[in-house]
Amino acid sequence: MNKFKSLLKYFSKTEIILWCASVALITVSFCLFDRESLLTLLASLIGVTSLIFNAKGNPFGQLLMVIFSLLYGIISYSFSYYGEMITYLGMTMPMAIFALISWLKNPYNGKLL
């Protein structure tokens, strides 16, 4: 419970509202239009969560971006969107891995979480 409270203090109210609104819109869109591809929903929720952590400069966001890239690559492959798959697996994921390594090797001296 303390981790959850510290996480709420880590983000401003505006950031929490922005994240909640994004999650709500993604979920409502999924329920209205798709309702079948849970992998797409999961990837979208991971993607929006990674963006909010990346905006704060938190390395956890880069880890989530790696997971998002893998999921999006799988989704793109299943729809034969090979260009998208190559873009995410060949460009976005390696950049997120390099950023994660760089952020972990050179941590911010302030308090992250």
Side-chain angles (χ1 to χ4, degrees):
M1 190 66 170
N2 288 336
K3 284 280 192 186
F4 183 72
K5 286 182 182 179
S6 67
L7 190 62
L8 286 178
K9 289 180 183 178
Y10 179 68
F11 293 108
S12 70
K13 288 184 182 186
T14 305
E15 292 165 339
I16 292 171
I17 291 169
L18 178 64
W19 180 79
C20 288
S22 299
V23 167
L25 285 172
I26 289 168
T27 306
V28 167
S29 297
F30 174 78
C31 291
L32 288 175
F33 299 110
D34 190 1
R35 284 182 268 170
E36 291 180 12
S37 179
L38 291 175
L39 188 61
T40 303
L41 175 64
L42 180 65
S44 298
L45 294 175
I46 290 173
V48 74
T49 305
S50 75
L51 291 176
I52 199 87
F53 277 100
N54 282 336
K56 296 286 277 190
N58 192 313
F60 184 64
Q62 292 299 338
L63 179 65
L64 289 175
M65 185 57 69
V66 171
I67 295 168
F68 170 76
S69 297
L70 285 170
L71 292 175
Y72 197 78
I74 292 168
I75 294 166
S76 299
Y77 181 77
S78 70
F79 286 102
S80 299
Y81 295 156
Y82 301 117
E84 287 285 314
M85 182 188 73
I86 291 168
T87 299
Y88 274 87
L89 295 179
M91 184 181 70
T92 304
M93 187 175 68
M95 286 189 320
I97 291 170
F98 290 136
L100 176 61
I101 291 168
S102 177
W103 285 6
L104 292 175
K105 281 186 174 181
N106 306 294
Y108 177 65
N109 290 332
K111 186 178 179 186
L112 285 178
L113 204 70

